Amino acid sequence: MHLNDLITKALNDERLTADEIVYLLSLPPTSSESYQVLAASRALSARLCANRAEVHGQFALNLAPCPKNCMFCSFAAKNGIFKGSSQISPDDAVQTALAFERNGVNAIYLMATASFDLAEFCEYGKEVRRRLHPETILIANVGDQQESGARLLKDAGFNGVYHALRLREGTDSDIAPDARLRSIRGFKEAGLVVGTCVEPVGPEHSNQELAELILFTAAHQPAFSGAARRISIPGTTLAERGMISELRMAQIVAVTRLAVPHTVIGNCTHEPCGIGALAGANLFWAESGANPRDVLEKTEEGRGHTVARCSSIFNEADWQLLEGPSAFFS
């Protein structure tokens, strides 16, 4: 394979094959060839969004041990990080959402653990939606849902959802991969826009696994794709497998951008970092409250980034910031 030919193919919006994606992922992250991939992704990403990156804000409604036992998540009951259960009040949810809106985020995400009652989640959503500006984008981050649940979210005023088929779903979690796929289809049929990601990437995941998931995200025409590395939760089984570097994550972000159709203008990474922005990531998240990658109950006191910090990282990578509602979910 010739690298320049693959880059030209991707820039022309021609689909890369699984073998071609594996080839790009197999380049040594510190090689000049890999840097060519990062540069191509940055140029393509900027062209598709007019060089305007987005910062979205996410906060959790509750904190509780989750029976789905995703091994990479601090909420997993089997990980034993959080023993008790708590949730914020509807007024606290409104105030947090309004603070994100004032700080200029392009979309606001409400997150809850998979066992949180959907009807109650939608009541929170309705109250938040009522207090936000009508044009503000509201996104749900919830567990798998039947078609009726998807319609409830739509009726509650949500514009879209974040939902991903995670790496080694069903092995590193107690969730059937088919359930994730059915949920994504159901969300879209209900009129919700779906954002997704290749995550959570660890050093044990093969290039073939990554290529398969990149192609999976591409096939669903999401609001955004991208890639995020797994953050080690101290004392857990997965922590023993280690973490990939930010440079390796940036490489995967760049390859994902080149492999996904140009109609998908969003390309995310998490957690926010300068090299991710250099590699073509045009979406970061600011966070508050509980966080599945943190062991603190308030991630703003730990791993969570503020809107200002996310914006600063983008500015340091010569991105401009979009003002107003997210273009990805429009």
Side-chain angles (χ1 to χ4, degrees), residues 74-297:
S74 62
F75 302 158
K78 67 167 56 174
N79 283 338
I81 304 298
F82 299 109
K83 304 293 196 301
S85 300
S86 62
Q87 66 187 71
I88 64 176
S89 69
D91 186 62
D92 285 340
V94 168
Q95 295 308 315
T96 303
L98 289 175
F100 272 137
E101 187 179 64
R102 287 194 300 271
N103 287 330
V105 298
N106 307 106
I108 297 172
Y109 295 54
L110 274 61
M111 179 179 67
T113 57
S115 57
F116 194 82
D117 181 72
L118 183 66
E120 186 173 7
F121 182 91
C122 288
E123 288 303 313
Y124 275 90
K126 289 176 183 177
E127 186 62 19
V128 169
R129 173 80 279 168
R130 187 177 68 83
R131 298 287 298 277
L132 293 174
H133 294 143
E135 65 273 15
T136 298
I137 301 293
L138 189 61
I139 307 298
N141 188 347
V142 293
D144 290 301
Q145 303 297 329
Q146 302 291 334
E147 291 181 12
S148 58
R151 290 193 296 271
L152 282 176
L153 290 168
K154 180 67 174 177
D155 292 343
F158 288 95
N159 302 95
V161 296
Y162 176 81
H163 215 67
L165 174 67
R166 282 80 57 91
L167 286 156
R168 300 191 183 179
E169 196 80 78
T171 300
D172 288 347
S173 73
D174 291 343
I175 300 173
D178 284 349
R180 306 297 285 183
L181 180 56
R182 284 195 301 271
S183 292
I184 291 172
R185 288 173 175 165
F187 291 139
K188 294 179 73 173
E189 289 173 2
L192 295 161
V193 182
V194 177
T196 193
C197 185
V198 176
E199 55 109 343
V201 184
E204 74 276 17
H205 297 124
S206 69
N207 291 326
Q208 288 76 16
E209 286 179 276
L210 298 176
E212 288 175 6
L213 199 51
I214 288 171
L215 288 172
F216 173 86
T217 67
H220 287 274
Q221 288 290 319
F224 59 82
S225 187
R229 66 175 178 168
R230 183 178 67 238
I231 301 299
S232 293
I233 306 298
T236 63
T237 301
L238 284 193
E240 299 173 3
R241 300 182 190 173
M243 288 172 57
I244 64 171
S245 66
E246 286 188 349
L247 177 58
R248 172 58 172 166
M249 181 176 72
Q251 180 187 23
I252 300 167
V253 167
V255 174
T256 301
R257 174 63 277 172
L258 295 181
V260 170
H262 293 188
T263 49
V264 180
I265 61 175
N267 192 41
C268 75
T269 197
H270 205 64
E271 297 169 324
C273 61
I275 197 167
L278 179 147
N282 58 7
L283 170 57
F284 289 161
W285 281 271
E287 298 174 288
S288 68
N291 177 341
R293 293 165 307 284
D294 208 337
V295 296
L296 299 181
E297 292 187 9

